[in-house]
Amino acid sequence: MNKTRILKRVFEIIPGGISWGIIVFLIVLSVKYPVASAIIIITFDFYWIIRTFYLTTLLIMAHHQISCQKGENWLGRCLNLGPKKGWQDLYQLVIFPVYNEGLEVLRPSLEALSKSNYPKDKFIVVMAFEERSSSAPDNASALEKEFSSKFGAYLSTFHPDKLPKEARTKGANATWAAKAAKKFIDTKGIGCEHVIVSCFDADTCVEPEYFGCLSYHFLTSDKPHQASYQPMPVYNNNIWQAPSFARLVEISSSFCQMIESMRLEKFVTFSSHSMSFKTLIEVDYWPVNMISDDSVIYWKGYLYYNGDYRVIPLYITVSMDVAYSSNIWRTIVVQYKQKRRWAWGVENFPFLAIGFMQNKKISLFKKLRRSFHLLESHVSWAVWAVILVIIGPLPIFFGGRLFSQMAIAYNLPKITGLLFQFTLLTSLTWIFLSRAILPPRPRGTRWFKNVLLVLEWIFVPFIILVIGSSPALDAQTRLMLGRYMEFNPTLKGNKVL
């Protein structure tokens, strides 16, 4: 085993080791020294109250940005930049990696793309199928007949299975498609510096103004090739049909991304995103052997440009499917597996740590700060719900009669109760904002669904218990033990993706 491999294993152990260390330490402390444990838990409760208020404030600010920019004529703003900016020279390369999604998922994505307020002759659309999917040839043929004439160029690619050094991941498929697109672009004499590539999940439906907004920010950025461009993901495609549990989890996921967009020092690409095609080629495309390709591509750019790379938020939404199944228990499993796959983004930590060790041009301060941000976010994800829900009551349970007579024992449940009351108060804000991003109620959907969409928020404590920390802790434990995950497709709209 070489030195790099040993270091990689060490860095893989660190996140899970810290998370489990915190949990075990607090449990042992609750048994042996309940007073000390209670002090730590009370401090954490106050910290979480402040943090919740801070994050809710950021969410309101992000939502305000979306509201202000909604309805903006972004193509018109591109035109107002004048010919020197050269927006008319830009091409939009759009890649949809497909596993075995059916036409009922793929067709709406292409229909939304065809309705974009952007010159259609500037689109190069690639439907990236997996060769191992039996339905791929028929779906590719059907979509080509329907959509190939609606764009400047339309390609179907078929990613071969089991290529050397590849895993069965979305990034491997997207990279194969991007390389095929480059060959096509080269034959047309188009410079890669004039191409913006967007890698969208197969169920992604864009707003009509998305590409105008993307082009405007690309053209007005001081270093357009040293940035990724991240829209705000919402899960509105089938949200009125999805069960309450899945709907709440996905709305919360959307809100988390909006919050992150206001913290630019921590903002990383997620799911559907865009970037310079020139940069994508220079960093050697998306990783072909990692699950979290959508975030790793940001870190590849960050390392390539020696820390001078950022994510520019686009306060315009792209809509995807809510993941759910045929009943509540299967839906919980589907949601759990999806969030565990997202939590597998912890694999970015060893990737980045080794990259920092090999890169001598990034300052030590930047290395420490970005490493800490990445590690802290994953550790916090893995432990916060465990501390609040499971460890919080332990000092009282193990403290005995003497502890129960102390003032701290009297105040601990009151402070914990205050935390949940404050969480309920902030939930009212989240409820209001969730209503604001919902699409109109479809025809045939009963009016009572509007009431249900408010009442269902009482299930938030249950969601915290089930999908609070457990997916992250699961992912970190697997990484720590070297039990590497495979890319598991997600159920969306009762279809396996």
Side-chain angles (χ1 to χ4, degrees):
M1 185 179 290
N2 59 35
K3 182 179 178 181
T4 302
R5 177 59 186 161
I6 293 173
L7 286 172
K8 183 173 182 290
R9 281 299 297 138
V10 170
F11 290 127
E12 287 175 347
I13 292 170
I14 288 175
I18 293 175
S19 296
W20 277 112
I22 292 172
I23 293 170
V24 172
F25 170 75
L26 289 177
I27 291 175
V28 172
L29 198 67
S30 298
V31 176
K32 297 291 187 180
Y33 305 100
V35 175
S37 178
I39 292 172
I40 293 175
I41 292 169
I42 288 173
T43 303
F44 182 81
D45 286 348
F46 277 117
Y47 159 75
W48 202 256
I49 289 173
I50 295 170
R51 181 183 175 93
T52 302
F53 177 78
Y54 167 65
L55 296 180
T56 301
T57 302
L58 293 182
L59 175 61
I60 294 171
M61 293 169 63
H63 187 272
H64 177 70
Q65 288 284 352
I66 294 173
S67 299
C68 289
Q69 298 186 24
K70 191 173 184 178
E72 183 76 41
N73 182 0
W74 287 103
L75 182 60
R77 294 185 67 171
C78 289
L79 291 170
N80 291 335
L81 293 174
K84 289 185 179 181
K85 283 292 185 179
W87 82 267
Q88 66 276 8
D89 297 326
L90 284 181
Y91 287 83
Q92 304 291 343
L93 171 60
V94 184
I95 299 175
F96 289 98
V98 181
Y99 176 45
N100 66 351
E101 292 89 345
L103 295 177
E104 73 283 352
V105 172
L106 303 177
R107 186 176 283 117
S109 299
L110 289 171
E111 286 176 348
L113 196 65
S114 68
K115 295 175 182 177
S116 296
N117 182 26
Y118 200 85
K120 304 304 184 296
D121 61 331
K122 296 297 184 180
F123 279 98
I124 303 168
V125 180
V126 183
M127 297 302 293
F129 295 92
E130 290 285 1
E131 192 176 71
R132 66 181 184 272
S133 174
S134 59
S135 61
D138 291 339
N139 287 344
S141 177
L143 293 174
E144 282 182 11
K145 290 178 182 178
E146 188 172 351
F147 291 100
S148 60
S149 62
K150 295 185 178 182
F151 305 104
Y154 183 98
L155 309 173
S156 296
T157 61
F158 300 88
H159 174 232
D161 194 20
K162 297 180 180 179
L163 290 177
K165 299 182 180 180
E166 281 195 2
R168 286 182 168 181
T169 63
K170 186 184 78 173
N173 187 5
T175 292
W176 177 269
K179 290 180 177 179
K182 184 180 184 303
K183 293 179 182 178
F184 173 82
I185 289 170
D186 288 343
T187 63
K188 297 297 181 179
I190 302 171
C192 292
E193 68 276 11
H194 299 302
V195 178
I196 307 175
V197 56
S198 300
C199 186
F200 291 156
D201 288 353
D203 58 333
T204 300
C205 295
V206 297
E207 292 284 334
E209 294 294 333
Y210 176 77
F211 291 97
C213 179
L214 171 62
S215 298
Y216 179 84
H217 283 84
F218 181 85
L219 292 169
T220 56
S221 172
D222 56 341
K223 297 178 181 178
H225 300 287
Q226 293 174 225
S228 290
Y229 303 85
Q230 180 64 57
M232 301 296 109
V234 295
Y235 299 85
N236 284 348
N237 289 352
N238 58 346
I239 196 165
W240 285 95
Q241 294 76 39
S244 296
F245 181 86
R247 186 163 50 236
L248 283 173
V249 173
E250 299 294 28
I251 288 174
S252 299
S253 299
S254 297
F255 285 172
C256 287
Q257 283 303 303
M258 292 180 191
I259 290 168
E260 290 302 305
S261 74
M262 302 303 297
R263 302 195 293 178
L264 296 182
E265 76 282 359
K266 296 183 178 181
F267 201 29
V268 176
T269 45
F270 170 80
S271 188
S272 300
H273 61 276
S274 305
M275 63 187 298
S276 162
F277 193 44
K278 172 179 176 290
T279 300
L280 180 66
I281 295 168
E282 289 176 344
V283 302
D284 196 26
Y285 303 94
W286 294 279
V288 298
N289 58 357
M290 298 179 71
I291 292 175
S292 54
D293 57 274
D294 51 359
S295 52
V296 174
I297 191 61
Y298 164 77
W299 293 118
K300 291 184 74 171
Y302 190 87
L303 292 170
Y304 181 84
Y305 285 107
N306 302 316
D308 191 12
Y309 193 84
R310 66 199 188 284
V311 179
I312 296 176
L314 306 179
Y315 291 101
I316 188 169
T317 60
V318 294
S319 183
M320 292 169 281
D321 287 355
V322 174
Y324 70 95
S325 190
S326 54
N327 59 55
I328 183 61
W329 299 113
R330 290 183 178 179
T331 295
I332 290 174
V333 171
V334 166
Q335 282 288 335
Y336 181 87
K337 288 183 176 180
Q338 184 190 59
K339 299 307 175 284
R340 184 179 62 187
R341 177 160 54 92
W342 292 359
W344 191 253
V346 71
E347 67 176 339
N348 289 354
F349 179 71
F351 174 86
L352 184 62
I354 292 174
F356 278 161
M357 292 181 68
Q358 296 171 345
N359 188 308
K360 306 302 182 184
K361 296 182 179 180
I362 302 175
S363 69
L364 179 61
F365 175 75
K366 276 190 174 182
K367 291 177 180 179
L368 293 175
R369 186 184 65 174
R370 297 311 302 268
S371 297
F372 175 77
H373 285 165
L374 182 59
L375 183 61
E376 183 272 336
S377 64
H378 282 281
V379 171
S380 295
W381 185 359
V383 304
W384 72 270
V386 176
I387 295 174
L388 293 178
V389 179
I390 298 176
I391 298 178
L394 291 184
I396 296 175
F397 183 78
F398 290 107
R401 181 176 300 178
L402 179 62
F403 177 78
S404 64
Q405 296 174 354
M406 299 175 66
I408 195 169
Y410 175 77
N411 290 319
L412 178 58
K414 287 187 173 294
I415 293 171
T416 302
L418 177 64
L419 170 63
F420 281 101
Q421 290 175 18
F422 185 79
T423 302
L424 180 61
L425 181 63
T426 56
S427 292
L428 296 176
T429 304
W430 287 47
I431 291 170
F432 174 78
L433 296 181
S434 69
R435 296 290 301 163
I437 65 172
L438 276 179
R441 178 163 52 93
R443 183 175 299 176
T445 302
R446 297 176 61 185
W447 67 269
F448 183 74
K449 201 66 173 284
N450 285 302
V451 179
L452 179 62
L453 262 59
V454 174
L455 295 179
E456 65 191 13
W457 283 83
I458 64 176
F459 295 110
V460 166
F462 174 71
I463 291 174
I464 289 174
L465 183 62
V466 176
I467 313 187
S469 293
S470 51
L473 197 58
D474 186 349
Q476 291 177 28
T477 303
R478 289 170 182 266
L479 185 65
M480 182 173 63
L481 299 177
R483 296 174 56 191
Y484 304 112
M485 285 178 55
E486 296 181 356
F487 187 89
N488 294 315
T490 301
L491 281 169
K492 292 186 179 180
N494 289 322
K495 296 294 181 182
V496 177
L497 302 188

